[in-house]
Amino acid sequence: MGQHTQSTPLLDNLQLLLKELREPAAVFDNRGQKIFANRVWQFTKQTSQNAVQTLVSERNRQSHECQIEGGNASIAQVSNYQVVIFFQEQSYYDLKDKILKSILGCVDCEESIFTSITRVLGELLGWRWVAVNKFKPDCTVEVLAHWDTNQLVDNFTYSLAGVPCESVEQTQKFTRFENLTELFPNDTHIQEIGAQVYAGYVYKDSRGCVVGHIFLMHDNSFVNWSLAEDVLHMASVIIGKAISLQQKEQEVQKHKHLAERDNLTGVFNQLAFDRDIAAAFKAQTTDSKNQFVIAVIDLDGMKQINDQLGHQQGDKLLQTFAQELTAACRDSDRAYRIGGDEFVVIYYLANLDLAKVLKERLNQAIANVVARGFEQVGASIGFAASSEGDKTAKGIFALADERMYQDKRLNKQNMRK
């Protein structure tokens, strides 16, 4: 401290704070005279020290950051003092490199991309608060991951109106604020926690649409804005890519779901049946306990409904039967429509001893269809077990289909009586 500078409580506190920093730091008065420097300051090149002093002497009273030889100088106006923290070039890039590598590592992290990136920024960047948020249609923000004072904390939702995040959402650019408590007097959260500086950056999906943003806040102004912007940009890119991959996977699953479903009834289709029965036989080969039964079902009376009432009613019959068939199945079973009025069910972990019970369930499904207005409808059913015949998908289906036709002939004979 200079000989002619009177000690004040604020200056004493600044001195205690700057002594703890690993970066060169000093306090100047408003005339540009250095009145305190921490121990690391003496190891800074004299040319860099001179450049900092020149900047302090010539600058206006607004906090800012500037590049000088050998690094970046962050200058903050604190009452009647100017506090300079000099981020030497090598340490700046070492820290930046470490943070960016850690962010890239979040791609393969087991926890969510939002949580892992928030954790990295919270642990390495040095800001007190870090959050990854999602913008919602009702002008609110959903916090997906939140770091507060060295730990992850519970998430919450808040309104965009009148808060720094609103500017980020509107400009869709890197946004920074200082003197937060003065700029946002109506933001009760900022007032309560005493946040002083803010940095925010949006992230986008594969279509270029803004999904949410990342923000940093700190309760003092000694921050590196350049590092914050670089890191937030990289984090937004990584989150955006992760969201894009997630969206593509959802699209793939959606198309896959549609590809294996019957468009009219919503049950599985022939493609899904061929895949599932092949997988069922493979599972049985691995473990003999994995036996299964298939039922081939042919609706009787479909042609008469189409001819007499029209194809619209015929379609409604198929949809109604599919609903009842699905309801008659266990959660583990699967129903398929493989032709016009032909359906198949795979009953997993079942054998022919259960055929009587299964047929009763199917007959009840038909009775429910009749009760729903299709009085002239019936069904012919044939069962076959995976342990029968040549134990192939083609063989078991042919056997069940043959038994279905036997049931159809029997039904016709009963109708003549």
Side-chain angles (χ1 to χ4, degrees):
M1 192 174 299
Q3 290 181 330
H4 305 291
T5 302
Q6 185 176 359
S7 177
T8 66
L10 175 59
L11 189 58
D12 291 341
N13 287 335
L14 288 175
Q15 181 178 349
L16 290 173
L17 175 65
L18 299 186
K19 281 181 177 179
E20 301 300 318
L21 293 182
R22 296 182 180 180
E23 302 290 349
V27 179
F28 294 80
D29 62 22
N30 284 325
R31 295 171 298 174
Q33 297 299 310
K34 184 178 68 179
I35 54 180
F36 168 76
N38 66 3
R39 186 181 60 83
V40 193
W41 182 266
Q42 63 181 308
F43 300 110
T44 305
K45 292 181 180 179
Q46 188 61 49
T47 53
S48 299
Q49 291 187 27
N50 294 340
V52 168
Q53 189 148 5
T54 300
L55 285 170
V56 170
S57 301
E58 296 177 350
R59 65 185 287 275
N60 55 28
R61 295 191 181 188
Q62 290 184 355
S63 300
H64 72 288
E65 186 170 302
C66 50
Q67 289 187 335
I68 60 174
E69 178 188 355
N72 285 13
S74 178
I75 306 175
Q77 183 75 37
V78 182
S79 187
N80 294 323
Y81 306 108
Q82 297 182 74
V83 178
V84 177
I85 302 176
F86 183 51
F87 296 93
Q88 292 174 298
E89 189 169 4
Q90 189 57 48
S91 62
Y92 169 82
Y93 286 111
D94 285 347
L95 177 58
K96 178 179 175 180
D97 183 61
K98 182 178 180 180
I99 293 173
L100 297 188
K101 284 180 180 178
S102 298
I103 290 175
L104 290 171
C106 293
V107 175
D108 293 326
C109 188
E110 290 185 1
E111 62 185 353
S112 78
I113 189 71
F114 311 112
T115 302
S116 56
I117 282 185
T118 299
R119 185 190 301 278
V120 165
L121 298 187
E123 291 177 346
L124 300 181
L125 198 52
W127 293 60
R128 182 172 173 182
W129 296 281
V130 182
V132 178
N133 305 324
K134 179 180 180 181
F135 296 127
K136 302 183 73 176
D138 60 354
C139 293
T140 61
V141 176
E142 178 186 359
V143 179
L144 304 177
H146 186 211
W147 181 273
D148 182 353
T149 319
N150 301 320
Q151 62 181 341
L152 289 166
V153 295
D154 293 338
N155 300 333
F156 56 94
T157 301
Y158 62 94
S159 172
L160 264 179
V163 301
C165 304
E166 185 178 26
S167 297
V168 182
E169 192 268 343
Q170 291 174 347
T171 63
Q172 300 185 11
K173 297 178 180 179
F174 174 73
T175 304
R176 54 178 276 189
F177 291 106
E178 300 176 65
N179 303 319
L180 281 178
T181 52
E182 296 178 16
L183 291 176
F184 299 92
N186 297 324
D187 188 329
T188 56
H189 182 63
I190 283 178
Q191 299 300 321
E192 288 173 1
I193 64 177
Q196 291 300 312
V197 291
Y198 172 100
Y201 209 103
V202 297
Y203 59 88
K204 303 177 181 181
D205 63 13
S206 59
R207 297 181 294 271
C209 299
V210 172
V211 178
H213 76 306
I214 316 166
F215 79 74
L216 312 169
M217 287 198 304
H218 207 5
D219 52 6
N220 68 62
S221 57
F222 304 122
V223 296
N224 187 322
W225 292 108
S226 294
L227 180 62
E229 183 174 3
D230 288 346
V231 168
L232 287 184
H233 174 70
M234 175 60 74
S236 72
V237 170
I238 296 299
I239 290 177
K241 292 297 182 184
I243 289 176
S244 297
L245 290 174
Q246 186 180 58
Q247 289 176 336
K248 288 179 181 178
E249 180 61 26
Q250 289 172 347
E251 285 295 315
V252 168
Q253 292 301 321
K254 178 182 176 182
H255 289 299
K256 182 179 178 181
H257 175 80
L258 292 175
E260 63 184 14
R261 293 281 178 169
D262 176 59
N263 291 333
L264 178 63
T265 64
V267 297
F268 292 96
N269 59 18
Q270 178 77 58
L271 178 66
F273 174 70
D274 292 341
R275 179 203 61 207
D276 290 348
I277 197 169
F281 269 111
K282 184 176 181 181
Q284 181 180 269
T285 302
T286 305
D287 188 342
S288 60
K289 294 180 181 178
N290 293 322
Q291 296 184 31
F292 61 94
V293 170
I294 72 166
V296 175
I297 308 152
D298 188 75
L299 285 179
D300 299 327
M302 180 76 181
K303 185 176 185 304
Q304 290 89 328
I305 289 179
N306 282 334
D307 292 343
Q308 296 172 14
L309 302 177
H311 287 279
Q312 187 173 0
Q313 278 298 102
D315 289 347
K316 186 176 179 181
L317 166 62
L318 293 172
Q319 292 168 339
T320 302
F321 177 68
Q323 293 169 5
E324 295 295 340
L325 180 61
T326 302
C329 292
R330 302 169 300 176
D331 291 342
S332 59
D333 303 330
R334 280 197 166 189
Y336 311 80
R337 182 186 176 210
I338 61 172
D341 57 0
E342 192 170 18
F343 293 78
V344 180
V345 178
I346 299 180
Y347 296 98
Y348 292 93
L349 299 178
N351 53 48
L352 282 182
D353 293 338
L354 293 174
K356 183 177 179 181
V357 174
L358 297 177
K359 188 164 186 178
E360 287 176 356
R361 288 186 179 181
L362 294 177
N363 285 336
Q364 183 59 54
I366 292 295
N368 292 342
V369 172
V370 171
R372 292 174 65 176
F374 298 95
E375 297 178 0
Q376 63 272 57
V377 171
S380 301
I381 307 167
F383 292 94
S386 57
S387 57
E388 296 186 283
D390 60 4
K391 298 182 181 180
T392 65
K394 186 176 180 180
I396 187 177
F397 181 82
L399 186 57
D401 197 47
E402 179 183 342
R403 290 171 178 170
M404 181 272 292
Y405 279 107
Q406 290 174 0
D407 190 52
K408 187 181 290 287
R409 288 192 291 270
L410 182 61
N411 290 338
K412 287 180 179 180
Q413 290 174 7
N414 292 335
M415 288 177 64
R416 294 191 189 104
K417 293 180 180 179

